[in-house]
Amino acid sequence: MNSLTILTDAAATEGATGGMGIGFIVIYVIFFIGIIYFMFIKPSNKQRQQQEEMAKSIKVGCSIMTTSGFYGTIIGVLDDDTVIVEFGNNKNCRIPMHKKAIAEVEDPDAALEEETATTEEKETKSKLGKRK
């Protein structure tokens, strides 16, 4: 065979396969689907799960902050999606609100427990300091 026939056969073979193998294209597509999943879908699922857990933990007496930045206190739970929030010191400002509009929840019992634990640690440290 001469060199012209070998070059022609190689060019025909390359044209038939398209230059790249189909396996490379499949791996390429799977790689980008993985990037999209880990950058967009997984974080949004995690955030939605945290929002649902927070909505389940809401009870009467919790201090909240809404997504618009208002601070208030839960004074009633109407159903699974709606709560009544009291804003400010004015007892007449009570608004029904959807749970999805709540950005942060602070349970007064949990805050009290943290405060007592912190004071107990300080007392323990001060007692240890006096014994030396």
Side-chain angles (χ1 to χ4, degrees):
M1 296 195 148
N2 61 23
S3 61
L4 183 60
T5 314
I6 294 172
L7 290 175
T8 314
D9 290 340
T13 307
E14 186 176 319
T17 59
M20 288 188 240
I22 193 78
F24 179 76
I25 294 171
V26 169
I27 291 172
Y28 190 72
V29 168
I30 290 172
F31 175 73
F32 278 106
I33 289 173
I35 286 176
I36 289 171
Y37 174 77
F38 284 108
M39 288 184 70
F40 298 110
I41 298 171
K42 188 173 181 178
S44 67
N45 286 344
K46 185 177 180 182
Q47 184 179 13
R48 187 180 68 240
Q49 184 180 13
Q50 288 173 345
Q51 181 78 17
E52 289 173 0
E53 289 174 6
M54 183 190 64
K56 290 178 184 176
S57 71
I58 293 175
K59 58 184 177 183
V60 176
C62 290
S63 298
I64 64 159
M65 182 183 78
T66 64
T67 54
S68 58
F70 292 111
Y71 289 93
T73 306
I74 303 290
I75 59 169
V77 178
L78 295 179
D79 56 20
D80 290 340
D81 296 329
T82 310
V83 294
I84 299 176
V85 182
E86 181 177 77
F87 294 100
N89 294 330
N90 185 0
K91 302 295 182 192
N92 294 327
C93 187
R94 296 175 177 186
I95 300 172
M97 178 176 288
H98 200 277
K99 285 185 178 180
K100 289 184 179 180
I102 297 173
E104 294 179 13
V105 176
E106 183 179 318
D107 190 5
D109 298 333
L112 182 63
E113 289 173 7
E114 288 177 14
E115 185 178 312
T116 13
T118 310
T119 39
E120 287 175 0
E121 288 176 9
K122 288 180 183 177
E123 289 174 0
T124 307
K125 288 180 182 178
S126 65
K127 287 179 184 178
L128 292 175
K130 290 179 182 177
R131 288 183 182 173
K132 289 185 177 181

